[in-house]
């Protein structure tokens, strides 16, 4: 393979920042995540969020796959978004006709080109694949569709054949080619060489489309754009087939901050967009997910919280506000004085240096038992130790009845009291009793704070059918307040109810203190309470 000067970063050569186009495929490859299926409404909601985020292209779907998919592509195409709307199609006439029926002007056409796919999947020769590609592109062009042509499994395709297919695609009228690393087998070095070489052979712009089977999708995409590609195919939260695609949020932040590449993305909407996609696809994020994971700006250990409270840059490579996220301090066995003090201050609890020591000691003991110290645990502990009165809860469950069984839809009826002797009763069904009762609670509390369940865990504390179980939940409201709460009991439904109600009460308390603003304006509203130097002196003494 030929090595060229194009492998150098454009900005290294010219000092000019490079502008890369973002082709978002959350609604197509992302929706191909096993188990994910979106309704037309959900796809429209995500498309609007992607448009607000500022992506250049939204691949809205693959119209041939179902009537709903066809409808979604059509609806998104009519939204008059700022982003271009593309849709996927094989090079077959019947697929392209669907693009025409959706009035799509940006077609993403593909056919596999590796011998592996030709022999074992399509069962056609290279010549036939080439002919089909040319015919498909010409047919789409003749109907006024601009074509981005993908050679599926490009990175495992014989190089001379790949170049030939791309050249013919260009000749047939494709406006752009895409190089998919379909099963993620590239390394950044090999991918950079391939893209640089293709740049010398093809006259039209190049996209890269990387999968994450070896965890290299973002690194490979970065290598691809460094080598000359000017568009990257990405998905929110790295959704996609198998291990997923290159994650948009990781690529954008790494490319802009570490490679000096420019985008039209409003990075402050990354966290919010990630949450919208997670909620609608029901794919929860691992807490340690870069940029948008719950721990991406979370700190527990004493050394880290101390550093971050004094100067965030000590343990944060970027400010959370830059991606619309919040800094979070977690109590646990690694906790230190600064972190716990700051958390208590945020809870509005004043403690003496002696009580602070006792609280930290207790937190560490709980941590040593392998348990999570939730926000509501810390609040309770601090009030018990320092004798601060327990605050009046906003919500209390006063009645609860649950029906479940065979041939019975699990149904929960609850009565919640709040405020000045006000109360409300609702009934909800669910997939199980816990689902039903949590939905019922949320139906009442929604008008005060819309929360969604981010995490739900049950841990058995003892054995037997009368075992004690601990329910841990994490909820987040529509302003980005995250709160963890737990409750223990022999009845897991009741423990779930207690945890949920205390979590919601905690969120309401935070909101009433005005600690939080809308996610977009987080830069003015740091969530964690700073520790002043006088305070630090007081508990050091
Ligand atoms: O990964 C892939 O090869 C694809 C093609 C349809 C472009 O998603
Ligand atoms: Zn793909």
């Amino acid at each position: 393979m030929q090595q060229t000067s194009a492998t150098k970063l454009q900005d290294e050569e010219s000092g000019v920042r490079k502008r890369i186009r973002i082709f978002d495929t959350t609604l197509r490859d992302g929706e191909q995540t096993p188990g994910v299926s979106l309704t037309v409404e959900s796809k429209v909601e995500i498309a609007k969020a992607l448009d607000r985020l500022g992506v250049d292209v939204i691949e809205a779907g693959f119209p041939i796959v179902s009537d709903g998919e066809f409808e979604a592509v059509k609806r998104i195409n009519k939204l008059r978004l700022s982003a271009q709307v593309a849709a996927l199609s094989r090079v077959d006439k019947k697929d392209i006709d669907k693009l025409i029926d959706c009035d799509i002007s940006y077609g993403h056409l593909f056919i596999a080109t590796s011998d592996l796919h030709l022999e074992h999947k399509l069962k056609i020769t290279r010549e036939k694949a080439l002919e089909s590609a040319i015919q498909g592109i010409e047919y789409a062009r003749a109907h006024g569709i601009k074509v981005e042509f993908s050679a599926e499994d490009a990175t495992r395709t014989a190089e001379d054949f790949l170049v030939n297919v791309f050249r013919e695609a260009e000749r047939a009228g494709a406006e752009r080619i895409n190089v998919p690393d379909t099963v993620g087998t590239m390394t950044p070095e090999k991918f950079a060489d391939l893209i640089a070489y293709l740049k010398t052979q093809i006259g039209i712009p190049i996209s890269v489309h990387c999968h994450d089977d070896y965890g290299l999708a973002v690194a490979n995409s970065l290598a691809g754009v460094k080598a000359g590609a000017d568009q990257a195919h990405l998905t929110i939260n790295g959704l996609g087939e198998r291990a997923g695609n290159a994650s948009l949020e990781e690529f954008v932040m790494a490319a802009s901050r570490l490679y000096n590449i420019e985008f039209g993305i409003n990075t402050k909407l990354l966290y919010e967009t990630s949450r919208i996609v997670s909620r609608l696809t029901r794919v929860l994020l691992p807490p340690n997910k870069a940029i948008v994971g719950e721990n991406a700006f979370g700190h527990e250990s004493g050394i880290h919280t101390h550093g971050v409270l004094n100067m965030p840059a000590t343990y944060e490579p970027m400010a959370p506000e830059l991606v619309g996220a919040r800094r979070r301090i977690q109590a646990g066995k690694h906790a230190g004085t600064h972190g716990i003090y700051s958390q208590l201050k945020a809870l509005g609890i004043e403690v003496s240096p002696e009580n602070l020591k006792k609280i930290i000691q207790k937190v560490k003991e709980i941590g040593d038992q392998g348990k999570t110290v939730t926000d509501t645990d810390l609040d309770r502990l601090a009030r018990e130790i320092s004798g601060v009165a327990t605050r009046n809860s906003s919500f209390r469950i006063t009645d609860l009845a649950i029906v479940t069984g065979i041939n019975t839809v699990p149904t929960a009826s609850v009565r919640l009291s709040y405020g000045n002797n006000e109360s409300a009763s609702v009934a909800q069904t669910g997939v199980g009793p816990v689902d039903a009762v949590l939905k019922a609670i949320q139906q009442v509390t929604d008008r005060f704070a819309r929360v969604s369940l981010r995490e739900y865990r049950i841990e058995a504390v003892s054995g037997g059918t009368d075992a004690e179980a601990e329910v841990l939940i994490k909820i987040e409201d529509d302003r980005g307040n995250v709160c963890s709460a737990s409750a223990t009991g022999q009845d897991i439904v009741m423990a779930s109810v207690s945890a949920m109600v205390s979590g919601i009460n905690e969120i309401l308390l935070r909101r009433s203190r005005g600690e939080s603003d809308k996610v977009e304006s987080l830069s003015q509203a740091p969530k964690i309470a700073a520790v002043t130097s006088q305070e630090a002196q007081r508990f050091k003494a």
Side-chain angles (χ1 to χ4, degrees), residues 25 28-29 32 59 62 88-89 108-111 117 149-154 178-184 209-211 233 241-242 245:
T25 180
R28 200 279 297 169
D29 220 333
Q32 288 173 217
E59 187 171 34
F62 192 179
L88 186 69
S89 161
H108 176 200
L109 269 56
F110 77 101
I111 187 167
H117 278 232
F149 171 73
S150 280
E152 190 190 13
D153 209 19
N178 175 40
V179 188
D181 184 22
T182 302
V183 291
H209 176 111
C210 298
H211 279 271
H233 286 205
E241 293 274 5
R242 305 177 310 283
N245 288 62

Side-chain angles (χ1 to χ4, degrees), residues 246-268:
S247 126
L248 186 149
E249 55 282 359
E250 292 174 21
F251 176 86
V252 165
M253 294 316 291
S256 59
R257 293 182 61 85
L258 308 177
Y259 289 87
N260 204 30
I261 290 171
E262 276 185 352
F263 303 99
I265 297 286
N266 178 357
T267 62
K268 290 196 169 134

Side-chain angles (χ1 to χ4, degrees), residues 156-294:
R156 295 190 300 175
T157 298
E159 203 171 272
D160 54 346
F161 182 55
L162 184 65
V163 168
N164 195 16
V165 174
F166 281 151
R167 278 204 191 126
E168 291 300 325
E170 180 176 1
R171 209 165 289 149
E175 298 215 327
R176 168 181 288 280
I177 57 145
N178 175 40
V179 188
D181 184 22
T182 302
V183 291
T185 49
M186 280 283 102
T187 62
E189 299 76 16
K190 280 199 240 167
F191 200 49
D193 283 351
L194 175 63
I195 300 299
Y197 176 57
L198 289 173
K199 279 285 281 182
T200 66
Q201 304 297 311
I202 321 289
I204 47 180
I206 297 180
S207 298
V208 288
H209 176 111
C210 298
H211 279 271
D212 207 29
D213 299 71
Y214 285 94
L216 289 173
V218 170
N220 287 338
S221 305
L222 288 166
V225 300
K226 265 181 72 180
D230 76 334
Q231 179 165 283
H233 286 205
L234 305 161
T235 59
I236 297 290
N237 299 340
L239 290 177
E241 293 274 5
R242 305 177 310 283
N245 288 62
S247 126
L248 186 149
E249 55 282 359
E250 292 174 21
F251 176 86
V252 165
M253 294 316 291
S256 59
R257 293 182 61 85
L258 308 177
Y259 289 87
N260 204 30
I261 290 171
E262 276 185 352
F263 303 99
I265 297 286
N266 178 357
T267 62
K268 290 196 169 134
L269 296 181
L270 282 172
Y271 184 82
E272 180 183 298
T273 312
S274 158
R275 287 303 177 272
I276 292 171
V277 170
S278 170
R279 171 171 56 83
L280 295 174
T281 57
R282 299 196 186 93
V283 178
L284 297 180
L285 294 183
N288 60 337
K289 165 87 173 64
I291 316 293
V292 290
E294 208 184 295

